[in-house]
Amino acid sequence: IRKCRVCQQCLAASMRDRIGRAIAESMSPKTSVVGVTLTYGGGDIPKALMLHYSDVQAYLRRLQHDIGPTRYLAAGEVGQKGRCHWHLILYLTEHQQIRRERATRIHCKWWTERKKPIGFAFYEDPADVAKSIAYAASYATKGLQKKGTERTIESVVQQSRHPPLGHAYFQKLAYDAALAGLPPMRDLRYSFPGNVSKKGKPFYYFLSGASARNYLAHYVDTFERVKGRFPSFKHERLERFLDEQD
């Protein structure tokens, strides 16, 4: 079944997929999460009227030049007053540090153009990582509305892609299942400890796209290496994946 990427069902599934992978990226005990908000200053400057992802790319280049490769999720929004701003989730390793004043608006040497500040940066250490990630990832569909046959996009979401966010976490899940001789996750559905609704029910996420293929590939490779044969469980997604490899 091909996704239309326009209806509310597809948009909700896309948002849930982003949230799940973004939370998975934060699950390593050696990873710390920093929330960043980038705004444009100096009044109604032209850059504040349209989302320019190139500004965020420049910010990330300068940041990574100073502290090294950094995984990220970036979501840009056009606010109610027509001004743009960006929400970022940065995944830092134990060897990376960002000097900042907690939850304080500052001029930042990475958020510049021609060495001059183009706005302000707010840095914070989220008290609830999953909630902060969900807030940022929600912009994946917040600004996408369908009007007749046209779509208006008032948000932009980008993230680390090579490999996709959450890759290491899902590889470990695949490895652990294969090593134990267990089938892959049922329906490729997963959840996180403590990530529950107000009623105490766990939030479930579903692997899809490249993340699903990478998970299944690692599962099959590990299973074959450890057990000396291909897995033969009755598992629709696994069977489909194996058929595609023939």
Side-chain angles (χ1 to χ4, degrees):
I1 300 175
R2 295 181 62 86
K3 297 180 180 179
C4 70
R5 301 182 181 181
V6 174
C7 71
Q8 291 301 312
Q9 184 176 358
C10 284
L11 294 177
S14 176
M15 181 178 71
R16 181 61 63 91
D17 175 55
R18 290 179 188 271
I19 292 173
R21 289 189 290 110
I23 295 175
E25 184 70 23
S26 73
M27 295 303 289
S28 170
K30 295 183 179 181
T31 298
S32 61
V33 175
V34 175
V36 185
T37 300
L38 302 175
T39 66
Y40 292 95
D44 292 328
I45 62 175
K47 276 187 172 293
L49 305 178
M50 183 179 297
L51 289 168
H52 295 276
Y53 180 57
S54 58
D55 291 338
V56 176
Q57 289 176 307
Y59 167 87
L60 290 169
R61 281 196 301 271
R62 298 183 187 106
L63 169 74
Q64 294 181 83
H65 178 269
D66 285 353
I67 70 171
T70 306
R71 308 274 283 166
Y72 68 91
L73 170 71
E77 179 198 17
V78 179
Q80 294 181 348
K81 296 182 179 180
R83 293 180 59 83
C84 300
H85 61 276
W86 294 88
H87 299 281
L88 278 71
I89 298 294
L90 301 179
Y91 302 93
L92 306 182
T93 69
E94 58 184 336
H95 303 297
Q96 294 175 316
Q97 296 290 331
I98 295 179
R99 293 183 179 180
R100 61 197 182 277
E101 296 179 41
R102 181 181 173 89
T104 300
R105 186 177 77 164
I106 60 172
H107 284 303
C108 173
K109 66 177 180 178
W110 302 314
W111 188 232
T112 59
E113 184 176 52
R114 297 176 183 176
K115 299 183 178 181
K116 294 182 179 180
I118 57 176
F120 294 96
F122 301 78
Y123 293 89
E124 62 177 340
D125 302 307
D128 187 329
V129 172
K131 186 175 181 180
S132 296
I133 289 173
Y135 177 78
S138 67
Y139 288 99
T141 58
K142 183 177 179 181
L144 183 58
Q145 301 173 343
K146 191 174 181 182
K147 295 183 178 181
T149 59
E150 298 182 354
R151 294 186 300 173
T152 61
I153 298 179
E154 297 174 350
S155 66
V156 173
V157 177
Q158 297 289 346
Q159 68 243 315
S160 298
R161 298 181 183 278
H162 303 291
L165 289 180
H167 179 76
Y169 179 80
F170 299 125
Q171 294 285 283
K172 186 177 187 308
L173 291 183
Y175 178 83
D176 289 346
L179 194 64
L182 299 173
M185 297 181 294
R186 183 177 180 181
D187 299 324
L188 300 190
R189 185 180 75 167
Y190 62 98
S191 61
F192 302 100
N195 185 211
V196 298
S197 67
K198 293 181 179 179
K199 295 183 179 180
K201 294 183 178 181
F203 287 113
Y204 287 106
Y205 308 90
F206 295 86
L207 273 180
S208 63
S211 292
R213 293 190 296 272
N214 292 341
Y215 167 83
L216 290 171
H218 192 56
Y219 173 85
V220 171
D221 288 344
T222 303
F223 196 98
E224 183 183 15
R225 186 173 64 254
V226 173
K227 305 297 182 181
R229 59 182 175 84
F230 281 113
S232 56
F233 300 104
K234 288 187 177 180
H235 189 286
E236 182 181 354
R237 294 295 297 275
L238 175 61
E239 292 172 353
R240 189 191 314 166
F241 175 79
L242 292 173
D243 288 341
E244 292 172 352
Q245 306 310 303
D246 294 339

